[in-house]
Amino acid sequence: MVFFEPHGVEEQESFQRVTLTNFSFPLHFHRAYELIIVHEGQLRVTIDQKEYLLQQNGAAFIFNNQMHEFTTVGHSAITIVIFSPELIGRFFMDYKGLIPVNNTFSLSPDVQLPSRRSVYRQKSFLYGICSTLEENTDFKPVQYSAKTKILHQMLLYVDNNYASECTLKAVAEHLQYDYPYLSKLFVHMAGMTFTEYLNYYRISRACYLLKSSQQPIGEIAADCGYSSLRSFNRNFQAFVRDSPRRFRELSSQQA
């Protein structure tokens, strides 16, 4: 699953792309670069707590370890490209320790995305994106606060443990911080409670599985960390405003 893999940690050239309709994904980060391209509609993207609204042909180039999330506004058709820094090694070395002042820019409507097969076309396309970014923004040194680093660790814990029992108490014990401190920090930095975020993350994975697989709903619920199908259905309804079965049916019709 493109969003739920340890992107870039293998330190080799990797390129993955996925096209999604009306999809949202919660706060996360990874070692890989991420490119988001909007083909239709609108997408609200937040990168390091800075919010952008992408329109048709808009793009966001997210650097490795930048915390980001995106939400469909009404309707969206997007392509996500996740690729390792090694694919654009010269750019990675030139801008190591820096991040864009503005991560967004516009692309030509006729931009051609490369296939997964030709690494040369991938590199040509990606270096073209790098050039466009350079022409449209300045860069600044990465300066993550101590609180941001703690939030990174909390998000990483969820990423590694969402499929099993995952509680803020367990996070506090793992990171050796006080529970009340982490609870307040998470709400301040993420804009929601830890439990709300965990459910959002789990339901986002469930949506992806419902769209991209024929796996039974009960198995999806279990894979996403829910021991009770009733609890899964309740949380799914709360976040998606529809039942898992109905969501799958509508997704199938849109495909």
Side-chain angles (χ1 to χ4, degrees):
M1 300 302 168
V2 69
F3 292 106
F4 302 91
E5 297 174 358
H7 295 296
V9 299
E10 68 280 0
E11 298 193 7
Q12 63 183 14
E13 295 180 350
S14 63
F15 180 96
Q16 298 187 57
R17 55 178 278 199
V18 60
T19 299
L20 300 165
T21 302
N22 299 335
F23 199 76
S24 301
F25 199 76
L27 200 64
H28 65 291
F29 71 99
H30 34 69
R31 180 181 176 272
Y33 286 117
E34 182 170 329
L35 177 66
I36 303 175
I37 301 172
V38 177
H39 305 294
E40 298 175 5
Q42 294 182 320
L43 194 75
R44 183 175 293 110
V45 181
T46 302
I47 306 169
D48 285 343
Q49 298 185 303
K50 186 174 181 180
E51 187 175 293
Y52 306 92
L53 182 63
L54 297 184
Q55 311 277 356
Q56 187 176 20
N57 301 321
F61 190 150
I62 301 153
F63 276 32
N64 51 328
N65 295 323
Q66 283 195 289
M67 287 190 292
H68 56 287
E69 61 184 316
F70 61 87
T71 306
T72 288
V73 180
H75 163 73
S76 72
I78 65 174
T79 292
I80 304 286
V81 180
I82 297 178
F83 56 99
S84 63
E86 286 71 27
L87 266 176
I88 50 171
R90 176 62 183 270
F91 180 86
F92 174 59
M93 294 306 298
D94 286 348
Y95 288 95
K96 196 170 185 179
L98 300 173
I99 55 175
V101 172
N102 183 345
N103 292 76
T104 66
F105 49 89
S106 296
L107 289 175
S108 169
D110 58 356
V111 63
Q112 294 294 316
L113 288 166
S115 69
R116 296 182 181 88
R117 293 190 296 273
S118 174
V119 68
Y120 303 112
R121 289 192 181 277
Q122 292 167 9
K123 290 187 176 186
S124 174
F125 168 77
L126 292 173
Y127 273 115
I129 293 294
C130 293
S131 177
T132 300
L133 183 69
E134 277 189 324
E135 293 165 0
N136 283 275
T137 189
D138 295 322
F139 297 81
K140 62 182 181 180
V142 177
Q143 293 181 327
Y144 289 135
S145 67
K147 290 182 178 180
T148 300
K149 291 176 181 177
I150 294 172
L151 182 60
H152 266 101
Q153 292 177 295
M154 296 177 76
L155 296 180
L156 184 60
Y157 187 93
V158 172
D159 192 50
N160 291 331
N161 295 278
Y162 71 89
S164 57
E165 186 175 357
C166 184
T167 65
L168 185 56
K169 181 180 178 181
V171 176
E173 291 177 353
H174 177 72
L175 300 182
Q176 297 185 330
Y177 278 94
D178 290 337
Y179 177 99
Y181 173 74
L182 290 185
S183 179
K184 291 179 181 178
L185 183 147
F186 197 91
V187 171
H188 174 71
M189 299 286 287
M192 64 182 74
T193 68
F194 179 83
T195 300
E196 288 171 337
Y197 174 79
L198 176 63
N199 279 315
Y200 185 11
Y201 193 94
R202 285 170 166 171
I203 295 303
S204 295
R205 173 175 171 79
C207 287
Y208 191 81
L209 291 172
L210 287 165
K211 282 174 172 278
S212 61
S213 77
Q214 297 302 313
Q215 193 175 357
I217 291 174
E219 288 184 10
I220 289 176
D223 285 351
C224 294
Y226 290 98
S227 57
S228 163
L229 185 57
R230 182 178 180 181
S231 176
F232 170 69
N233 287 331
R234 183 176 66 249
N235 280 282
F236 196 96
Q237 183 73 39
F239 280 96
V240 184
R241 307 299 183 193
D242 215 338
S243 70
R245 188 175 303 279
R246 176 66 175 162
F247 177 84
R248 171 171 270 174
E249 290 173 354
L250 290 174
S251 298
S252 177
Q253 293 171 10
Q254 293 170 354

